[in-house]
Amino acid sequence: MSPKNVSSDGSAKNGLLTPGRIVVAVIAVLAIVFICVNTGKVTIRVIIPTVTMPLWLALLGVFLAGLVCGGYVFRRRRNR
């Protein structure tokens, strides 16, 4: 067996600001800005009923649903 790569140099791989986290943060900020600037009323058909609501609320709902789905699909599995 090879030894685990244990380094104490504080490499960016295990740091708080990884490239992936930065990209996700930028996308999340852009999505929130997009939601905030779209404030008009819209009519949305949700399967059967038709609902009138502010566009930002509909966008926020879809954004949160995407976060939940993405978190479920890409969650890290623990070794048992």
Side-chain angles (χ1 to χ4, degrees):
M1 284 194 215
S2 63
K4 291 183 180 180
N5 185 6
V6 179
S7 62
S8 61
D9 64 350
S11 63
K13 182 179 178 185
N14 294 328
L16 181 63
L17 293 176
T18 62
R21 289 181 182 167
I22 293 171
V23 169
V24 169
V26 168
I27 291 172
V29 168
L30 290 175
I32 291 170
V33 168
F34 181 74
I35 289 169
C36 291
V37 298
N38 287 291
T39 58
K41 292 266 186 190
V42 293
T43 302
I44 300 172
R45 184 173 183 134
V46 184
I47 301 176
I48 295 175
T50 302
V51 180
T52 301
M53 66 175 63
L55 179 58
W56 70 266
L57 191 60
L59 291 170
L60 181 63
V62 172
F63 178 71
L64 293 176
L67 282 178
V68 170
C69 291
Y72 177 76
V73 170
F74 294 107
R75 74 179 187 272
R76 297 183 187 263
R77 291 177 174 77
R78 297 180 186 185
N79 293 334
R80 294 180 188 201

